[in-house]
Amino acid sequence: MTEQERIEELRTALHQHNYNYYVLSTPTISDQEFDALLRELAELEGRHPELFDPNSPTQRVGSDLTNDFETVVHLRPMLSLANTYNQEEVRAYYERVREGLQGEDFEICCELKFDGLSISLHYEDGRLVRAVTRGDGVQGDDVTANVRTIRTIPLQLSPGAGWPRSFEIRGEVLMPWNSFEALNREREAAEEPLFANPRNAASGTLKSKQASVVADRHLDAYLYYLLGDEVPADGHYENLQAARTWGFQVSEHMRKVRSLDEIFDFINYWDVERKNLPVATDGIVLKVNSQRQQRALGMTAKSPRWAIAYKFQAEQQSTVLREVTYQVGRTGAVTPVANMDPVQLSGTTVRRATLNNADFIAKLDLHLGDHVLVEKGGEIIPKIVAVDEAFITEERGPRVEFIRHCPECGAELVRYEGEAAWYCPNDAGCPPQLKGRIEHFVSRRAMDINTLGPETIDDLYARGLIRNVADLYDLTVDQLSGFGDTRIRSARKTIQAIEDSRQVPFERVLFALGIRFVGETVAKTLARRFHDIDTLSRVSLDELLQVNSIGQAIAESVIRWFADMDNIFLVERLRARGLQFQLSEQKLAEQSDRLAGKTIVISGVFAHHSRDEYKALIEQHGGKNTGSISAKTSFILAGDNMGPAKLEKAQKLGVSIVNEDEFLKMIEKD
Ligand code: IVH
């Protein structure tokens, strides 16, 4: 067997194992065996760049590079559904269908309404060629690179399964509850803003500029609509059953019914049972099953007449507001929290609910002692949606006024332009901010001093032993332990972990410092671009804005951080303790400034490296990659099949075109 044949064999086998594992949940080989095959494939592909395939199973991990989404016009517009909220309207829909079909028999397909974001997938010759978000229904974003990381979406359909040569299939991209909860736990630990619900998390993730972020976050997808000129059957249900055999994840909970009673049974069953599903749903979708009948019924301007969505009621309860308290986060943002009489909601006892921000409180015209309606919909955190008018009396308690001073340190609160939150500006002295920064610093993805939990930090803070992250490096075993064997042992472990953190690479140290808006990705970008903290501390706003994916807010925040002498002293103390403040030798060796000042557009298909690899190379050598050609473009790195529109624009603007080999020469070491 040639290496090329082995590559093909491995790809086919791995696609099948992926499907067995992720869609069918019945793997036929062990994880180790799977990894071994994947490694073998990656190695062979490395030796044969000419056989690169974006749909190879090795591409599921996503790359680290920035995606610019292209806007794509949908071949068929992506309509939305008319919503109904009660069973009367469902009855009316059913009657309309019956009348529209003039007495002909019909079947209704009942489905769950998944709460994520819709996606359109195109397959040609059994290969995923494009994935586009709904956008405005007429055009959406091309998110193919991100979608490739979703394991339940097949990249390559098994040969001979009977799929049409060309078709479109639509469905919902979701974040399962368990991934959502894990993600939020991580974000909480890093004091990053939480996602309110799995839909926002899925949508934020799918539109992420980095496919590797998407790969880490475990999205899932259910497909619910097959379109094309050669679909196998007239029945929508039958088409989806066929699609399942081709490798798509199709819900097992779809049912075909012939009466209104059966529809109501389906609705009533899932209104309760949906709480046990691994993914969020917000209703039921009803569709006339026959496509011939669908065409006969047609559509209104916005939505098809043959389908309708029935939305579940979010569970609501009325209770009494007793007190509003305020929480100060690591960034100083102050969040108001309603404290209420306990009430049962979706199976849990709720005592506290978020009030978002000052504007929200004012809009509700909230008074202490008011009866309020609390809701727990798709959101994890309960929220107050309204004052329960039924209970409003002449004599209300005092009106809730947002505080003016920090509840923790007394500083006068401030509001930044364009932000809804009030902030405590005392970042150098406000205890939750100081403790929060330390917690962030020691967190797993930062310095990974994982033996220091929030309680120990609280304790050390209360005893006056730590005020900032540099103080950690002065701690002694004695200070950390009280009496007793175990405490001494765990104190030693902590000291060791603090010691070990000196080896943490610069990009993570930069993230650990907790500069506002400098998350893991931005920290990496800044480290790669500026190499060490001294250079970074001296860059100008303009230089920062020149860097790919660094916007105004991030740039200003970096400048502000380094303008504060306390931070400079902090860096000096940490440096004296041996922390890494420059890129490692190895990472530095890979860098150069051969493309400094160059703005480069990538277009077409390449033989030696993938597009993402070229983006990385451009950044590594100090250049900037942008999506569209303008007068500022230095040159276009062009592969095969560069689009005619781009070519024309390049000629018009006199932008030169560089081919792959020429480009690789440009960045070669002399
Ligand atoms: S069918 C023309 N089926 O709900 C039919 N949609 O407003 C188009 N959705 O944008 C959609 N689960 O994102 C359909 N089983 C399901 C669905 C579903 C969720 C979403 C979809 C669509 C929105 C309808």
Side-chain angles (χ1 to χ4, degrees):
M1 190 184 300
T2 65
E3 290 196 327
Q4 171 161 9
E5 283 162 354
R6 180 63 182 155
I7 287 181
E8 274 154 23
E9 184 178 76
L10 283 167
R11 284 177 181 167
T12 310
L14 285 162
H15 281 305
Q16 183 63 41
H17 289 309
N18 242 314
Y19 172 71
N20 294 346
Y21 185 92
Y22 288 101
V23 181
L24 303 181
S25 303
T26 43
T28 54
I29 58 171
S30 71
D31 290 1
Q32 286 88 331
E33 286 167 310
F34 182 91
D35 287 342
L37 294 179
L38 194 65
R39 258 200 312 277
E40 183 187 346
L41 177 59
E43 216 178 284
L44 285 171
E45 285 180 347
R47 282 214 290 277
H48 293 277
E50 76 284 2
L51 298 177
F52 173 78
D53 176 356
N55 283 342
S56 165
T58 53
Q59 301 301 307
R60 292 270 195 199
V61 290
S63 89
D64 220 5
L65 298 156
T66 324
N67 301 314
D68 288 318
F69 301 126
E70 265 180 56
T71 313
V72 179
V73 177
H74 295 298
L75 287 181
R76 303 172 188 81
M78 287 182 83
L79 302 177
S80 60
L81 297 173
N83 284 329
T84 66
Y85 294 89
N86 59 56
Q87 306 207 343
E88 261 327 292
E89 290 172 342
V90 172
R91 188 185 297 277
Y93 154 79
Y94 196 78
E95 288 310 322
R96 278 199 307 278
V97 169
R98 194 209 297 280
E99 278 166 29
L101 294 175
Q102 298 167 344
E104 211 184 331
D105 269 355
F106 62 93
E107 289 176 314
I108 296 287
C109 183
C110 306
E111 300 172 17
L112 291 168
K113 185 169 189 302
F114 296 104
D115 196 10
L117 69 156
S118 37
I119 192 86
S120 148
L121 308 174
H122 282 265
Y123 287 78
E124 304 282 341
D125 298 316
R127 293 162 54 82
L128 173 69
V129 289
R130 193 178 311 122
V132 187
T133 62
R134 176 166 184 276
D136 61 5
V138 175
Q139 51 183 29
D141 283 332
D142 182 332
V143 290
T144 316
N146 285 349
V147 162
R148 284 206 174 96
T149 68
I150 303 176
R151 317 257 163 177
T152 39
I153 292 184
L155 301 179
Q156 172 88 63
L157 309 179
S158 358
W163 30 265
R165 205 197 62 73
S166 166
F167 66 92
E168 177 183 356
I169 190 163
R170 293 181 185 170
E172 203 83 350
V173 170
L174 309 145
M175 186 176 288
W177 285 112
N178 59 7
S179 315
F180 168 71
E181 280 152 20
L183 174 63
N184 263 354
R185 270 199 301 277
E186 255 176 40
R187 292 175 76 86
E188 192 166 15
E191 287 239 7
E192 285 169 312
L194 301 190
F195 285 113
N197 52 48
R199 177 176 13 92
N200 291 2
S203 142
T205 303
L206 198 65
K207 291 181 185 153
S208 162
K209 301 267 178 201
Q210 279 185 354
S212 58
V213 169
V214 189
D216 279 350
R217 289 203 187 156
H218 305 294
L219 294 175
D220 199 352
Y222 282 95
L223 285 312
Y224 49 61
Y225 193 18
L226 179 70
L227 304 88
D229 297 332
E230 315 161 51
V231 297
D234 173 56
H236 160 76
Y237 179 90
E238 289 69 22
N239 282 333
L240 287 177
Q241 301 313 314
R244 178 184 293 127
T245 67
W246 305 339
F248 292 99
Q249 177 159 260
V250 171
S251 167
E252 342 150 39
H253 304 306
M254 301 171 60
R255 292 286 176 274
K256 267 196 310 182
V257 304
R258 297 179 159 274
S259 72
L260 201 48
D261 281 346
E262 289 170 286
I263 293 179
F264 290 143
D265 286 347
F266 189 86
I267 289 178
N268 294 334
Y269 178 78
W270 285 111
D271 199 1
V272 181
E273 253 336 280
R274 71 191 178 105
K275 289 168 191 141
N276 300 320
L277 290 170
V279 294
T281 53
D282 62 341
I284 297 293
V285 180
L286 304 172
K287 300 173 184 169
V288 170
N289 195 53
S290 154
Q291 296 194 336
R292 180 182 55 76
Q293 292 179 332
Q294 290 179 2
R295 281 191 296 273
L297 289 162
M299 53 185 83
T300 68
K302 278 190 300 196
S303 48
R305 288 204 184 82
W306 47 268
I308 200 162
Y310 168 86
K311 300 268 264 204
F312 297 127
Q313 295 282 339
E315 202 187 334
Q316 262 185 11
Q317 290 293 341
S318 184
T319 183
V320 180
L321 173 71
R322 294 296 174 196
E323 192 192 0
V324 175
T325 51
Y326 296 85
Q327 279 177 351
V328 185
R330 164 167 77 91
T331 59
V334 179
T335 314
V337 179
N339 295 259
M340 309 161 299
D341 286 351
V343 64
Q344 284 297 116
L345 203 58
S346 312
T348 53
T349 309
V350 172
R351 292 190 178 78
R352 288 149 61 83
T354 175
L355 283 166
N356 301 322
N357 54 47
D359 294 343
F360 186 73
I361 294 177
K363 206 174 91 201
L364 291 178
D365 184 27
L366 206 57
H367 294 242
L368 291 184
D370 278 354
H371 283 254
V372 287
L373 291 176
V374 194
E375 192 176 287
K376 206 167 143 195
E379 279 74 26
I380 282 268
I381 308 162
K383 62 180 180 197
I384 290 191
V385 286
V387 172
D388 193 346
E389 306 266 340
F391 289 90
I392 290 194
T393 50
E394 288 281 303
E395 269 174 59
R396 283 170 92 182
R399 191 192 176 126
V400 178
E401 299 281 357
F402 202 87
I403 47 169
R404 306 240 154 242
H405 293 93
C406 176
E408 300 280 346
C409 73
E412 194 173 336
L413 302 182
V414 296
R415 215 169 187 180
Y416 301 113
E417 211 184 296
E419 286 198 50
W422 284 90
Y423 283 86
C424 167
N426 181 18
D427 52 355
C430 180
Q433 296 190 58
L434 296 176
K435 285 188 272 188
R437 279 206 294 275
I438 299 172
E439 280 171 27
H440 168 71
F441 185 82
V442 302
S443 64
R444 189 169 58 81
R445 287 164 170 278
M447 305 303 279
D448 194 18
I449 308 175
N450 57 15
T451 47
L452 269 187
E455 276 154 35
T456 318
I457 291 175
D458 241 9
D459 179 51
L460 293 169
Y461 185 90
R463 287 159 59 203
L465 293 171
I466 50 172
R467 283 289 174 271
N468 61 42
V469 299
D471 294 339
L472 292 172
Y473 295 85
D474 294 338
L475 287 173
T476 64
V477 172
D478 277 353
Q479 288 170 330
L480 270 167
S481 65
F483 296 101
D485 242 18
T486 33
R487 302 228 8 209
I488 291 183
R489 230 177 298 142
S490 76
R492 284 212 185 98
K493 258 198 197 148
T494 303
I495 295 288
Q496 189 58 46
I498 294 174
E499 193 78 14
D500 292 345
S501 75
R502 290 165 204 208
Q503 297 316 319
V504 167
F506 174 47
E507 53 273 28
R508 269 171 56 198
V509 177
L510 193 53
F511 167 61
L513 291 176
I515 304 172
R516 213 157 164 237
F517 305 130
V518 179
E520 276 179 282
T521 316
V522 172
K524 257 193 214 154
T525 309
L526 291 174
R528 270 199 220 141
R529 175 67 189 81
F530 297 107
H531 304 176
D532 59 68
I533 197 110
D534 296 322
T535 312
L536 181 62
S537 71
R538 286 192 296 263
V539 295
S540 68
L541 192 70
D542 277 350
E543 282 171 285
L544 282 166
L545 289 171
Q546 285 301 308
V547 183
N548 260 350
S549 75
I550 304 288
Q552 194 74 25
I554 302 174
E556 280 176 9
S557 167
V558 171
I559 297 282
R560 215 178 308 124
W561 200 86
F562 285 106
D564 185 338
M565 279 319 282
D566 285 341
N567 293 330
I568 302 292
F569 288 135
L570 187 75
V571 168
E572 284 320 316
R573 276 186 67 198
L574 291 172
R575 196 203 307 261
R577 298 290 172 208
L579 270 67
Q580 304 299 316
F581 280 111
Q582 60 181 38
L583 227 49
S584 66
E585 294 288 326
Q586 187 211 337
K587 290 218 175 94
L588 267 176
E590 292 164 3
Q591 306 262 334
S592 90
D593 52 7
R594 289 184 190 87
L595 299 175
K598 298 250 188 301
T599 302
I600 301 159
V601 172
I602 303 180
S603 180
V605 189
F606 300 93
H608 301 311
H609 294 277
S610 72
R611 252 175 116 90
D612 283 348
E613 284 166 350
Y614 277 117
K615 283 192 192 178
L617 285 171
I618 290 174
E619 286 190 7
Q620 202 172 304
H621 295 282
K624 185 174 170 177
N625 167 239
T626 56
S628 56
I629 303 168
S630 74
K632 285 200 207 125
T633 308
S634 314
F635 64 83
I636 299 169
L637 166 57
D640 290 341
N641 298 334
M642 176 174 162
K646 276 198 174 151
L647 200 60
E648 197 182 316
K649 195 161 178 194
Q651 278 161 354
K652 216 169 84 194
L653 293 169
V655 175
S656 58
I657 293 178
V658 169
N659 73 27
E660 233 181 325
D661 294 321
E662 290 165 340
F663 177 80
L664 291 172
K665 274 242 157 56
M666 287 169 88
I667 57 173
E668 229 168 61
K669 282 210 178 94
D670 320 305

